Amino acid sequence: MSVVARLIEARAARRQKPLIAFNAATLRLGGKTIIENLDLQVRPGEFLCIVGASGCGKTTALRLAAGLYRPTSGAVTFEGEEITEPRREVAIVFQDYGKALLPWRTAAGNISLALEASRVPARERGARIEALLRKVGLPGHADKYPTEMSGGMQQRLQIARCLAQEPTTLLMDEPFGALDAMTRQGLQDEVLSLTQASETTVIFVTHDLDEAIYLGDRVIGLLPHPGRIGIELDVDLPRPRDQLATREHPEFLRLRRQLFDFIKATEH
Amino acid sequence: MKRTAILWRLASALVAAGFIAAWQLVANLKLVSPVFLPGPDRAWAALVRGFSSGDLAGKLIGTLEHMAYGWFAASIAGIALGALIGSSRMMRAYVAPSLEFLRPLPVSAIIPVAIAMLGLTQGMALFVIAFGAIWPIMLATIHGFAAVEPRLYEVARSLQMSRTAIIAKIALPSALPDILAGMRLSLTVALILSVVCEILAGLDGLGHWVLLSARAFRSADLFAGVILLGATGYLTSIAMSLVEQRLLAWQTAAR
């Protein structure tokens, strides 16, 4: 076997091993079962979207993967190791960017928070912050306070702070739910280009079915009360995705119909 | 915007001038005996005389020292205790009822206790001033620490920040507006208690000066002291506002 073939095989093997795995994970909170017997594997480099009616436990599943919750029974693992606490290589983008940013720190200061936590020396921070702001499309806004920025800009800032952690995995909890349609599409494409280039693994929770298909390699639909997997769809759409071409693709429309039917059925 | 601000300034200056003019008129017409009520002219003359040939400056410094030491002690202890109690729900549940008993206790009531235990000393004054001034600061700090956005603690957890980093970078800056508001309230309390302690314990300061002037029927000197106390309260409060504006610039950034 040639070296190249072996390398490709090794890489394929690595891709087979899940990065994050839910093994019969169950979570009960206050006497209610939020998630029951969830089995789910997330491959390295995969873009996984989770959808479902409100209250189906999709945010809870994300918090389990983040280490913000621990399962009542079963396990959630990262690279085969049980997740007990949040880890630096896993970054979380919260939906409520207004609450997740420090209002008393400027844009630069908010990014600096992550760099300080990673013990990046002070003299290196300036250049890193500048590069990150440029990366998320906020150059020249370093000295603005979050309250001086629009919702879209604040969410970009939160994403920049997460990227400052240099994560291998991004957990995104309805990150664009509160943004207007145009801003949302722009950010979808930016997140795709940011994560595809660096092969970042993403778990993306959303209630927007089109968004899930547009972004994901795979879409999981959860059933509510208690949360469990109801549908699993592989998205075989060419990359890079395109806001017009992808959304007009027959496969996109087929998946969309399937997902809509599923959600509709869960609402009864 | 700017013009209306200037007009308001002007209006408030006019009111003050009118008040002084009325005071002068009452004094000139001798509606109140000059033994008890000097005019603003005599009070001002006494103020100048007190600074140039008397020891009014020394008295002023004495009062400022009492006030500052007591206020600083109250601030440090109040913020430390407030942070400790405010950052833990269990501590709040345990300690809050005791605080509710101590807080409304009139400080004047503990002065005899303080004198009995510490004597008529500077230490007694420091204790009384600090004891009175600690409440607004501590209660504001407790509230500030209890009201930190929970999401920020999750951000801190996901960044794996240390406990001290969380306090210094998340909780303290978040509670700062409350803490500063409490410190401003305490400034007034500290001034009042400084004067009370000087009067009761005969400590060097404006309180003592006012007391002696009143006993000797030197009403002009008495009023000079009162004016000076008023100015002290006013100027320290303005200084505190400037500090607040500087430290909380982010709050006004968007508005």
Side-chain angles (χ1 to χ4, degrees), chain B residues 8-22:
Chain B
W8 278 113
R9 274 280 153 79
L10 211 65
S12 63
L14 274 174
V15 169
F19 175 74
I20 293 171

Side-chain angles (χ1 to χ4, degrees), chain B residues 215-226:
Chain B
R215 281 190 182 153
F217 294 102
R218 284 179 293 148
S219 61
D221 285 343
L222 168 65
F223 271 70
V226 170

Side-chain angles (χ1 to χ4, degrees), chain B residues 105-115 127-128 131-132:
Chain B
L105 204 68
V107 182
S108 35
I110 73 133
I111 293 180
V113 181
I115 292 178
F127 173 78
V128 169
F131 183 84

Side-chain angles (χ1 to χ4, degrees), chain A residues 111-158:
Chain A
I111 296 176
S112 177
L113 186 76
L115 298 177
E116 291 158 28
S118 310
R119 305 198 188 288
V120 174
R123 65 198 138 72
E124 287 172 28
R125 283 182 215 147
R128 291 270 294 271
I129 289 167
E130 209 171 296
L132 284 161
L133 282 170
R134 219 174 312 115
K135 214 170 181 178
V136 297
L138 291 175
H141 294 286
D143 296 328
K144 280 201 176 141
Y145 288 100
T147 44
E148 295 176 283
M149 305 167 92
S150 70
M153 289 163 78
Q154 289 184 45
Q155 192 57 293
R156 280 161 202 263
L157 178 56
Q158 197 194 172

